Amino acid sequence: MKKIHLVIIAALLIMTACKQGQQKSGSADSKISITAAGATFPMPFYNQVFSNYQEKTGISITYGGIGSGGGIRSLTDKVVDFGATDAYLSDENLAEMPAEVVHIPTCIGAVVIAYNLPEVPELKLTTTLLEGIFMGKITKWNDAALEENNPGVNLPDKKITVVVRSDGSGTTYIFSDYMSKISEAWEQEVGRGKSLNWPVGMGAKGNPGVAGTIGQTEGSLGYIGSEYAFAQNISFAMLQNAAGNYIKPNAESISAAAKGDIPADTRVMLTNSIDPEAYPISGFTWIILYKEQNYNNRSKEQAMETVKLLEWLVSDEAQQVTKKIHYSPLPERAVVLAKNILSSVTYDGKALLSEK
Amino acid sequence: MNAEKVTKYILTFAAIIIVVIAGGMAFSLFGGAVPAFKEFGIKFIFSSEWNPTEGRESYGALPFIAGTLITSMLALIICFPLAFSTSLFLGEYFKGKKIAGILGTLVDLLAGIPSIVYGLWGFYVLKPLFVNIGINEHGLGIFTASLVLAIMIIPYATSLSNEIISMVPDELKEAAYSLGATRREVITTIVMPTASSGVIASYVLSLGRALGETMAVTMLIGNANIIPKGLFGMGNTMASVIANQFGEADGLKLSSLIAIGLLLFLITALVNFLGKLIMKRIY
C-alpha cells in the first residue's frame, strides 16, 4: 500500500512539474495566474475575453462558473483574485465582507423569456401575461388572454410548463427584480432574490440546465441568459417595455436600457427601463474585488496584473467582443466610472494604476 | 519490531481512521445544522415552506423528506417483482448453470453504470416516451425518477437476495423433494421461509441506497420544492435539493441544507441498521 501511495505522489509531482514547465514556455513572466469565480450569466463573454487576454499577454486566467453567490463567497474566503456577480452587493452585504469591496461593471446582458413551441415563431408578452404565467394564473398556451395578445398566432391547447432555476442565481435575481417592478402581487407574494419560493414550475440547474430542459420539452417556457437561448437556437418572446413597445433583446435594445443615470459605485439595476427602445429585463454584470489588494500575502505583481486585466476588460477592445456573443457593451458613462473605481484600488494604500 | 506487529499496527490505524471519519462527519453535520434547528426548532421537519427570499426566509424540510421517502418506496415496489424473480432464477432454478453466470454478470454490470448515465438515459429516452404516452406534459416528476431509481437498485437487491437464496441448505430441499414436493412447492415451503428475513433485509439495504441517490433523481424529478401532488407530479428529494442549492447558499440557508443532510444521514443510517438487524436474526 505504501508503495502505491509513493507512486501516486510521484505521479502528481511530475504532473505539476510538467504543467509549470508548459506555463513557462508560454511567456516570460507567466508565473502569474489569475483565479476568478462567480456568475454563469456572463460566462460566455468571460470565456471569450479571458482567452483573448491570455493569448495577448500569456497570463493564465481561470474562471469558475459557480454562480453569483459562489463568487461572492469565494471572494469572502479570499480564495480568488476577483469574484463575479449579477446581483450587486447590498449595503448590508458590503458591511459583512471582511474588507472594503468595489464593483466593476463588465457588460450588459439580457434575460430572455425562452419558450418551446415549434409552430410559434413569434410570441408577444405583456407584463400582465408574464405575471399570469409565472404566478400560475395562466396555465394553458391557448388561454384567452394570450390569444388576444397574439392575433394570428396558432397557440396550441397545451399546458404551459414553467421552467425556473433550481439553484441560486444572479439571473433569477435580475428576473425577479423585474417582476417585482411590474407586479405588485409578485412583490408581495414572491419578492426578489437569487432563489425564490416559486408559485409554479419545475427547476433545472444553471442556465445550461434550464436551456436544455426548455429545448427538450415542448410547451415549456422559462427565463435564461440571452446567450444561452441564442447558442441553442431556442425561441424567445418579445416583451412589452415600460413605454409600451414590444422589444426583442439585441445589442441595441439591451444597451438602451443603460441610458439612464448610473451612480458612482455603479450599483444599479437596469430592469424596466423607461427608455422607449430598451429591452426591459437587462442588467449589468459585475466583477467584485477588494479595494486594498494586499491580503493573504498576495504579491504586488499579482495585484497589478489583476487590475490591469480589469482595466483591459472595460477597454474598447474587450467591449467590442460583447456584441459578437449577444451581450451589450458598457455605455461610455459606465466605462468612465469603472476606470475611476479601478484607479482607487490600492496595494499597501498606494493606487496601483498610477504606478503602472 | 516483527512483521506481525507491524501488520497489526497498520490495520488498527486504518480501522481507527474509519471511526474518526464517520465521527467527524456526524460531528460537523451536527455543528452546521445547529443554527437551523435553533431558528425553526422541530418545525423544521414538519414545515413545508421553503422560502429563500431575503427577508422572508423560512425553511422546512417536509417536501424533501416526503419526496425522498415516496420516490424510494416507489422504487422499491417497482424493483421488487423484477429483482425477486431474477434472484430466484439465479439462486434456485438455474443455480450454477452457465446462463445464470451470464445473467449474474449483466446484473452486476447494471450496478457499475454511473448514476449520471442513468439520469441522461432517463432524460433523453424515458422523458420523451412519457410525453408521447401522455402521462404528463413534460415527462418529468416523481414517477419518472422512481422508475429510474428502481432500475438502479435492482442489481443490489438481486445480488444480495440471490446470495441468501443460494445459501438455503441442500439437505432441506432434498428432504422436501423426497417427500414428493414439486419445485414450486419447494420454493414456497422451504426456500422462502428459510431465506425470508435475509431477502427482506436485502430490500431494506437497497432502500438505503435509493434514499441517498442524487444525480439521476435531480435530473428527473422536476426540482419543485413542494410536497408531490400525486404520482406524476413534481417534487424534490433531500439529496437533490442539497446538490442544487448549496453553491449559492450561505447563513441560515446553508445551515438548513446541512440540517437536511443530517436528517438524510440519520434516515439512511437507521434503514441500514434495520437491514443489518433483520439479517443478523436469521443466522
Side-chain angles (χ1 to χ4, degrees):
Chain A
M1 268 318 276
K2 272 190 172 168
K3 265 186 191 162
I4 294 174
H5 282 155
L6 281 177
V7 170
I8 292 172
I9 291 168
L12 281 174
L13 281 176
I14 293 168
M15 270 158 63
T16 26
C18 289
K19 215 176 156 196
Q20 278 169 353
Q22 274 170 9
Q23 280 174 357
K24 260 180 199 151
S25 63
S27 135
D29 58 347
S30 65
K31 264 190 184 164
I32 302 267
S33 72
I34 294 174
T35 319
T40 53
F41 176 69
M43 200 157 88
F45 171 59
Y46 289 163
N47 283 345
Q48 181 68 49
V49 287
F50 289 163
S51 95
N52 288 0
Y53 193 72
Q54 200 162 336
E55 260 170 46
K56 210 171 108 124
T57 61
I59 289 172
S60 73
I61 305 161
T62 320
Y63 183 78
I66 56 170
S68 295
I72 295 168
R73 198 162 66 216
S74 301
L75 189 70
T76 314
D77 297 342
K78 300 185 174 171
V79 293
V80 289
D81 290 300
F82 56 84
T85 175
D86 309 320
Y88 60 76
L89 276 70
S90 64
D91 293 341
E92 204 177 295
N93 296 147
L94 282 174
E96 281 168 10
M97 296 298 280
E100 195 178 346
V101 166
V102 291
H103 291 69
I104 312 285
T106 56
C107 69
I108 309 175
V111 176
V112 302
I113 305 300
Y115 64 94
N116 182 345
L117 288 176
E119 268 124 68
V120 180
E122 203 175 279
L123 185 71
K124 288 179 177 170
L125 293 177
T126 61
T127 53
T128 328
L129 290 173
L130 214 51
E131 180 205 75
I133 292 171
F134 278 94
M135 295 199 74
K137 287 179 238 161
I138 298 175
T139 56
K140 290 204 123 185
W141 280 107
N142 62 351
D143 188 281
L146 265 170
E147 286 200 314
E148 195 188 330
N149 203 51
N150 291 280
V153 178
N154 188 18
L155 290 165
D157 179 20
K158 239 189 187 143
K159 268 195 176 170
I160 303 177
T161 304
V162 176
V163 188
V164 304
R165 287 285 288 272
S166 61
D167 51 338
S169 143
T171 315
T172 304
Y173 188 85
I174 296 175
F175 177 74
S176 63
D177 180 69
Y178 173 67
M179 292 301 285
S180 300
K181 281 179 183 169
I182 60 160
S183 157
E184 208 168 298
W186 180 279
E187 185 159 32
Q188 294 296 321
E189 285 167 43
V190 188
R192 36 168 80 84
K194 285 193 282 255
S195 62
L196 304 167
N197 187 14
W198 293 97
V200 284
M202 68 159 78
K205 195 166 161 58
N207 267 313
V210 177
T213 305
I214 293 175
Q216 281 292 316
T217 314
E218 219 180 299
S220 60
L221 175 145
Y223 62 93
I224 42 178
S226 57
E227 171 60 12
Y228 293 89
F230 286 111
Q232 301 199 28
N233 239 338
I234 300 172
S235 326
F236 44 83
M238 292 168 80
L239 295 186
Q240 192 176 37
N241 66 9
N245 302 326
Y246 287 99
I247 304 288
K248 256 202 161 115
N250 54 36
E252 289 76 42
S253 65
I254 299 170
S255 62
K259 275 186 189 160
D261 202 30
I262 305 167
D265 60 3
T266 75
R267 290 188 302 149
V268 64
M269 292 305 289
L270 304 178
T271 50
N272 206 27
S273 159
I274 48 164
D275 190 280
E277 303 296 323
Y279 179 74
I281 324 182
S282 306
F284 280 134
T285 178
W286 291 271
I287 272 170
I288 46 173
L289 71 162
Y290 288 111
K291 193 168 182 182
E292 169 55 51
Q293 287 284 301
N294 187 7
Y295 59 89
N296 265 15
N297 296 324
R298 285 171 90 233
S299 70
K300 190 166 181 181
E301 216 182 350
Q302 178 86 19
M304 181 62 98
E305 290 304 334
T306 306
V307 178
K308 266 162 68 182
L309 165 68
L310 297 181
E311 194 191 23
W312 179 80
L313 203 56
V314 297
S315 75
D316 202 41
E317 188 187 343
Q319 288 294 310
Q320 285 309 316
V321 179
T322 55
K323 289 187 192 162
K324 277 187 227 153
I325 41 177
H326 310 105
Y327 293 87
S328 185
L330 293 171
E332 232 169 278
R333 164 128 177 89
V335 174
V336 172
L337 289 172
K339 284 188 174 160
N340 279 347
I341 296 168
L342 271 177
S343 54
S344 76
V345 175
T346 58
Y347 189 90
D348 276 343
K350 279 182 209 139
L352 275 165
L353 281 179
S354 61
E355 284 183 32
K356 196 172 64 171
Chain B
M1 268 202 299
N2 59 26
E4 286 297 322
K5 265 190 178 164
V6 173
T7 315
K8 191 180 153 198
Y9 285 136
I10 291 176
L11 293 181
T12 317
F13 182 68
I16 288 173
I17 283 187
I18 296 294
V19 176
V20 169
I21 290 175
M25 236 156 149
F27 179 75
S28 56
L29 278 176
F30 266 112
V34 163
F37 280 112
K38 251 192 193 151
E39 176 77 23
F40 305 113
I42 197 75
K43 223 187 84 202
F44 181 75
I45 299 174
F46 298 106
S47 161
S48 62
E49 193 187 358
W50 183 264
N51 191 348
T53 317
E54 238 169 85
R56 307 175 195 177
E57 280 184 297
S58 169
Y59 300 106
L62 192 61
F64 313 111
I65 297 175
T68 300
L69 292 181
I70 293 171
T71 47
S72 303
M73 291 310 289
L74 211 56
L76 201 62
I77 293 168
I78 300 170
C79 118
F80 178 74
L82 267 167
F84 185 62
S85 17
T86 315
S87 55
L88 272 182
F89 184 95
L90 291 175
E92 178 59 31
Y93 272 78
F94 291 87
K95 190 178 173 185
K97 301 257 169 62
K98 203 174 177 188
I99 184 160
I102 297 170
L103 194 67
T105 316
L106 282 177
V107 169
D108 290 342
L109 198 70
L110 273 183
I113 298 175
S115 150
I116 186 94
V117 177
Y118 279 105
L120 278 177
W121 176 76
F123 194 80
Y124 287 102
V125 179
L126 266 190
K127 171 175 147 20
L129 186 73
F130 283 177
V131 172
N132 285 341
I133 298 173
I135 282 181
N136 58 17
E137 63 277 6
H138 42 71
L140 298 175
I142 295 287
F143 185 70
T144 317
S146 304
L147 194 60
V148 170
L149 210 48
I151 299 170
M152 291 177 75
I153 60 172
I154 282 175
Y156 293 92
T158 308
S159 12
L160 278 172
S161 39
N162 167 25
E163 223 158 89
I164 287 165
I165 288 170
S166 319
M167 274 158 68
V168 173
D170 283 342
E171 292 83 7
L172 283 179
K173 287 189 268 180
E174 277 156 16
Y177 282 127
S178 69
L179 291 172
T182 63
R183 195 140 206 200
R184 196 185 54 79
E185 281 166 344
V186 169
I187 288 172
T188 49
T189 57
I190 305 294
V191 177
M192 276 334 290
T194 320
S196 65
S197 46
V199 171
I200 291 170
S202 69
Y203 286 98
V204 175
L205 290 175
S206 307
L207 177 69
R209 183 164 157 83
L211 288 171
E213 179 45 49
T214 314
M215 210 51 231
V217 174
T218 305
M219 291 170 80
L220 299 171
I221 198 165
N223 296 313
N225 303 336
I226 47 169
I227 294 173
K229 295 172 189 149
L231 195 54
F232 303 112
M234 291 181 287
N236 212 345
T237 66
M238 300 164 89
S240 78
V241 72
I242 298 173
N244 267 308
Q245 308 209 335
F246 85 94
E248 296 268 342
D250 50 15
L252 197 55
K253 187 177 176 189
L254 186 60
S255 172
S256 302
L257 288 175
I258 295 174
I260 290 181
L262 178 67
L263 290 176
L264 184 58
F265 183 82
L266 292 178
I267 293 176
T268 318
L270 192 75
V271 167
N272 278 331
F273 176 71
L274 219 68
K276 295 259 160 70
L277 202 70
I278 302 172
M279 219 155 198
K280 236 182 200 164
R281 206 163 272 176
I282 21 170
Y283 303 115

